[in-house]
Amino acid sequence: MVDIKAQPHLTTAEWQAVTVALRDAARFGCAAPQGKPEGRVSRLFRALTGIEQPRPLADPRLDAVRRFVCASRRNVARAREIASELMAMGYSRDQIEALRIVAA
């Protein structure tokens, strides 16, 4: 029998952030790293298509979850950096591993 209390738990809002990240990854290929200026080609593409890059979520914890899930699909080194950030925010290793598995 599986011990439910031993399983990593995420809130409904955190699961919604995961959903947003998976949708962003499918539609946009994930956002550029924060602080990186947008290049001319990116601006031209945005102007021609009207497709905007994903914007950060209002809650920093939820945005970290979104960025981690998105990075886990595209950039393992970046995902490790964000995993450290998640741990500093109070997420357990089990929760982070569950997020990584969902992102795969």
Side-chain angles (χ1 to χ4, degrees), residues 5-103:
K5 292 183 181 184
Q7 301 300 313
H9 174 75
L10 296 171
T11 65
T12 302
E14 290 164 338
W15 281 117
Q16 289 172 340
V18 169
T19 302
V20 168
L22 294 174
R23 191 174 325 126
D24 287 351
R27 289 175 43 197
F28 307 111
C30 298
Q34 292 180 348
K36 183 179 178 185
E38 185 179 33
R40 285 188 217 175
V41 174
S42 296
R43 285 193 309 267
L44 178 61
F45 177 78
R46 185 173 38 82
L48 292 174
T49 64
I51 298 173
E52 297 283 335
Q53 284 190 337
R55 297 175 193 253
L57 299 177
D59 182 339
R61 287 177 55 91
L62 296 178
D63 191 55
V65 168
R66 181 191 65 81
R67 288 184 294 113
F68 176 78
V69 170
C70 199
S72 293
R73 295 182 65 103
R74 306 282 185 201
N75 186 338
V76 175
R78 180 74 179 126
R80 286 187 187 123
E81 292 173 15
I82 300 169
S84 298
E85 188 179 330
L86 287 171
M87 289 188 75
M89 291 180 168
Y91 287 94
S92 70
R93 290 187 195 282
D94 291 338
Q95 288 173 311
I96 294 169
E97 181 63 15
L99 291 170
R100 187 194 63 75
I101 290 169
V102 169

